[in-house]
Amino acid sequence: MMKLYYAPGACSLADHIALLEVDAEFEAEAVDIRTKRTASGEDFRSINPKGYVPVLVLDDCEILTENIAVLDWIADRYPQLRRNGVLSRTRQLETLAFISTEIHRAFKPMWHGGAEAEKQKARETLAGLFAITATQMSGDYLFGGELTVADCYLFVMLRWAEKFGIAAPEPLLRLQWRMEQRPAVQAALAREEMHDALGRSASP
Ligand SMILES: N[C@@H](CCC(=O)N[C@@H](CS)C(=O)NCC(=O)O)C(=O)O
């Protein structure tokens, strides 16, 4: 069976939501990304030497890492989460890359104890990146009326923005709210927060 390694509230929440959205058969195991131990006590580095989540182990035991690749694989395997239309996959990759290499990366000082000036700069950068993203929305979700893997990733970034007091533009707040109403999103949050209650870290 497929297996997702995740850390509660981390970027792997995007994959967790996507897999629940499509009713995939998979197991999920939490990882403590500070100690690099999985919930069952395995050395996480023996699974992913890079030491970070998400990791998706496929049915044939292939190990996928890097969120762009993992979400692209999920969209390829489950077409209901895929962008349609002109240059569909390319546009989807363009957006996943923007979320990963621009938005996600810009959060680094917030999570990793940056100096106050660095954090302030990150807040301004992120506000600008979210403003650009809002202008690119073409419906209720990023690519129109239907959810795609890109929304799953953006949703995690919006939760982080809320946590750090970064104001996202109205259309993105509506997207965040819409996602929060989805049963798969609620289920993923419940599964991950269960681990928070056991004292594991909620932050990457
Ligand atoms: N390049 C990786 C980065 C993933 C990443 O930053 N994961 C964080 C959680 S959001 C993590 O596991 N950090 C732990 C670490 O780097 O030690 C990707 O895009 O998948």
Side-chain angles (χ1 to χ4, degrees):
M1 198 194 296
M2 247 183 334
K3 183 163 184 179
L4 174 71
Y5 288 94
Y6 72 94
C11 52
S12 45
L13 175 59
D15 312 271
H16 209 165
I17 292 170
L19 291 170
L20 288 171
E21 279 287 346
V22 297
D23 244 341
E25 254 190 69
F26 71 104
E27 294 170 45
E29 183 168 348
V31 177
D32 184 325
I33 51 182
R34 292 198 177 80
T35 61
K36 310 294 177 199
R37 287 269 150 206
T38 72
S40 63
E42 270 181 288
D43 173 9
F44 181 55
R45 283 211 170 91
S46 69
I47 301 156
N48 179 10
K50 294 183 277 194
Y52 49 65
V53 292
V55 171
L56 185 63
V57 185
L58 304 184
D59 287 336
D60 61 3
C61 297
E62 288 282 345
I63 295 177
L64 295 186
T65 63
E66 302 301 327
N67 223 350
I68 297 175
V70 176
L71 290 169
D72 180 62
W73 182 88
I74 294 173
D76 191 46
R77 171 78 178 67
Y78 301 98
Q80 61 270 47
L81 285 184
R82 191 191 284 176
R83 182 190 194 273
N84 294 308
V86 182
L87 287 177
S88 51
R89 184 166 183 195
T90 307
R91 290 291 178 213
Q92 186 172 284
L93 281 170
E94 183 181 40
T95 302
L96 290 175
F98 182 73
I99 298 172
S100 173
T101 67
E102 303 296 332
I103 301 182
H104 183 171
R105 194 193 47 175
F107 273 101
K108 284 247 142 73
M110 312 305 289
W111 288 116
H112 299 290
E116 198 39 57
E118 211 190 336
K119 287 186 180 171
Q120 192 44 40
K121 174 108 183 36
R123 278 196 182 86
E124 285 161 23
T125 302
L126 282 158
L129 295 171
F130 284 125
I132 291 168
T133 310
T135 63
Q136 292 177 342
M137 266 183 81
S138 63
D140 279 356
Y141 294 100
L142 274 170
F143 297 130
E146 301 299 329
L147 180 88
T148 68
V149 287
D151 298 294
C152 299
Y153 200 176
L154 180 59
F155 175 69
V156 179
M157 299 300 109
L158 292 169
R159 281 175 55 87
W160 292 2
E162 189 180 345
K163 177 180 170 73
F164 293 117
I166 298 158
E170 205 44 47
L172 297 190
L173 293 177
R174 283 200 295 274
L175 182 145
Q176 185 182 357
W177 181 86
R178 233 173 256 124
M179 294 226 32
E180 280 162 0
Q181 312 312 305
R182 299 181 74 98
V185 173
Q186 291 171 7
L189 290 171
R191 283 167 77 155
E192 298 207 356
E193 273 156 17
M194 210 169 63
H195 285 282
D196 290 354
L198 294 177
R200 296 193 180 93
S201 164
S203 55

